[in-house]
Amino acid sequence: MKIIVTGAAGFIGSHLCEHLSEQGHDVLGIDCFTDFYSVALKKQNAQDLKRKGIPILPLDLCGADLNGALKDVDNIYHLAAQPGLSATTTFSTYARNNITATYNLLEAARNQATLKCFIYISTSSVYGKYATSPEDAPAMPTSYYGVTKLAAEQLVLSYCRTGKIPACSLRLFSVYGPRERPEKLYSRLIKCILEDAEFPLYQGSELHTRSYTYIDDVMHGFLSVLKRLDQVSGEIFNIGSDIEITTGRGIEIVEEILGRQARKIIQPARLGDQLKTHANIEKARRILNYNPQTKPEDGLRLQIEWYKKTFLR
């Protein structure tokens, strides 16, 4: 199958491109290499993919003509987004990169008669402070990120409801692992400990609980969709680990593996941060046969090994 992956040079997108290619699919990546975090890291991911025969088109979903890239596409995984919580990122930026970009991609996708499924990658942030519910619970986002991701998700599903395209949505829970974005918790923590630098910790966040989900378990969920295209259209699925730990415990695990303590420096709490996430994956288990396996201790050891190989050469 010809499969398009947007946000292909990012953390999750680059892993997805590799897994799809290994399964024999014809994969084409799209990324506009925004500078929200290191463009150099994204370009390195793109080069690694290119060496594996996976091309990346440098296209801005908000401005480019996408019809040529989408010609004869079978499935689209839409990961490109303005991610995370940031006090310096404006609402208009979130709206542009999460809503407008999705709209433009949908308009190009509806012209492709070959399209079997538009797979939108959403987030547990749509649930709000407490992400513990099944997929049919009311969404109550508390951040610009969650609000705009929910709006884009509903835009995708509206195209499905009106018969324009087949589509589904996957809501991810706190993904970690090799290539994790540098501003995310574990990447920052590992870097700070290994460099003996101060580790910024948001006030109260060590008590937050999370369904930290290892990247390979996320890939299992993503690839399961392709095996069940006749069952997923119009549906939303939570994709995450059902193992819940506190952020404080996650920090302790990294400290134990590295044999060093983080030099924590407390910063003001983040507005809109989630207090508790626990992935309710009953629906994904039932329909997608989704079964995450990785314990935090094992996943974090693998991430630390990757970090050392990549940055401590």
Side-chain angles (χ1 to χ4, degrees):
M1 288 189 285
K2 178 180 178 180
I3 300 179
I4 302 291
V5 177
T6 71
F11 163 38
I12 302 173
S14 61
H15 280 278
L16 178 58
C17 286
E18 289 175 340
H19 278 71
L20 291 169
S21 180
E22 288 167 3
Q23 291 201 347
H25 298 294
D26 177 15
V27 182
L28 175 63
I30 294 175
D31 205 295
C32 70
F33 299 92
T34 61
D35 61 0
F36 178 74
Y37 67 93
S38 172
V39 174
L41 287 178
K42 296 179 186 178
K43 288 185 175 179
Q44 182 60 58
N45 288 341
Q47 285 298 317
D48 291 343
L49 293 175
K50 184 178 179 181
R51 281 192 286 270
K52 296 177 180 180
I54 304 168
I56 305 290
L57 295 181
L59 296 177
D60 183 348
L61 297 180
C62 288
D65 182 351
L66 303 173
N67 288 292
L70 269 57
K71 187 176 187 300
D72 299 326
V73 66
D74 291 293
N75 295 284
I76 298 170
Y77 283 88
H78 179 34
L79 287 80
Q82 184 67 40
L85 303 183
S86 170
T88 60
T89 303
T90 64
F91 176 78
S92 61
T93 299
Y94 281 107
R96 178 189 189 277
N97 293 335
N98 293 345
I99 303 174
T100 304
T102 300
Y103 168 76
N104 289 344
L105 185 61
L106 286 167
E107 282 296 291
R110 67 184 293 196
N111 296 328
Q112 311 306 317
T114 54
L115 183 67
K116 297 178 177 65
C117 195
F118 186 109
I119 303 156
Y120 178 71
I121 308 306
S122 188
T123 170
S124 67
S125 291
V126 304
Y127 290 112
K129 289 184 178 181
Y130 302 96
T132 60
S133 302
E135 294 84 349
D136 57 359
M140 296 186 288
T142 55
S143 65
Y144 290 162
Y145 172 60
V147 167
T148 54
K149 287 293 286 182
L150 177 62
E153 177 184 81
Q154 287 301 307
L155 184 63
V156 171
L157 294 176
S158 76
Y159 273 61
C160 183
R161 295 181 197 116
T162 53
K164 296 174 183 176
I165 59 168
C168 68
S169 180
L170 309 180
R171 293 176 175 172
L172 305 189
F173 284 70
S174 301
V175 186
Y176 72 98
R179 301 181 212 154
E180 184 186 51
R181 300 198 317 264
E183 88 282 1
K184 297 285 283 181
L185 172 68
Y186 292 123
S187 287
R188 285 189 295 116
L189 176 63
I190 295 165
K191 182 177 188 293
C192 288
I193 292 177
L194 291 175
E195 295 180 0
D196 194 28
E198 291 181 336
F199 171 61
L201 184 65
Y202 296 109
Q203 187 174 26
S205 64
E206 70 277 10
L207 301 178
H208 297 172
T209 60
R210 292 284 184 270
S211 283
Y212 290 112
T213 310
Y214 189 63
I215 184 67
D216 285 357
D217 288 330
V218 172
M219 292 302 106
H220 173 224
F222 281 11
L223 298 176
S224 295
V225 169
L226 294 182
K227 301 174 184 177
R228 297 165 177 81
L229 292 175
D230 59 334
Q231 300 177 60
V232 301
S233 191
E235 301 291 345
I236 299 170
F237 297 96
N238 291 332
I239 300 296
S241 170
D242 55 358
I243 299 173
E244 177 189 350
I245 64 171
T246 65
T247 295
R249 177 55 189 149
I251 293 170
E252 288 175 355
I253 292 170
V254 173
E255 291 174 330
E256 290 165 4
I257 294 170
L258 290 174
R260 305 185 202 175
Q261 298 291 307
R263 293 202 292 126
K264 305 180 187 73
I265 179 170
I266 304 302
Q267 297 191 338
R270 288 192 301 180
L271 185 65
D273 209 351
Q274 291 179 291
L275 303 181
K276 179 182 177 69
T277 73
H278 187 112
N280 183 321
I281 54 175
E282 292 180 10
K283 182 177 179 180
R285 286 191 191 279
R286 185 177 72 252
I287 297 177
L288 301 179
N289 195 30
Y290 176 62
N291 187 30
Q293 297 287 317
T294 310
K295 297 178 181 178
E297 294 82 357
D298 297 328
L300 287 170
R301 189 175 300 278
L302 290 168
Q303 181 167 347
I304 289 169
E305 289 174 1
W306 166 83
Y307 188 95
K308 287 180 175 180
K309 287 179 182 178
T310 304
F311 297 108
L312 300 183
R313 295 172 180 172

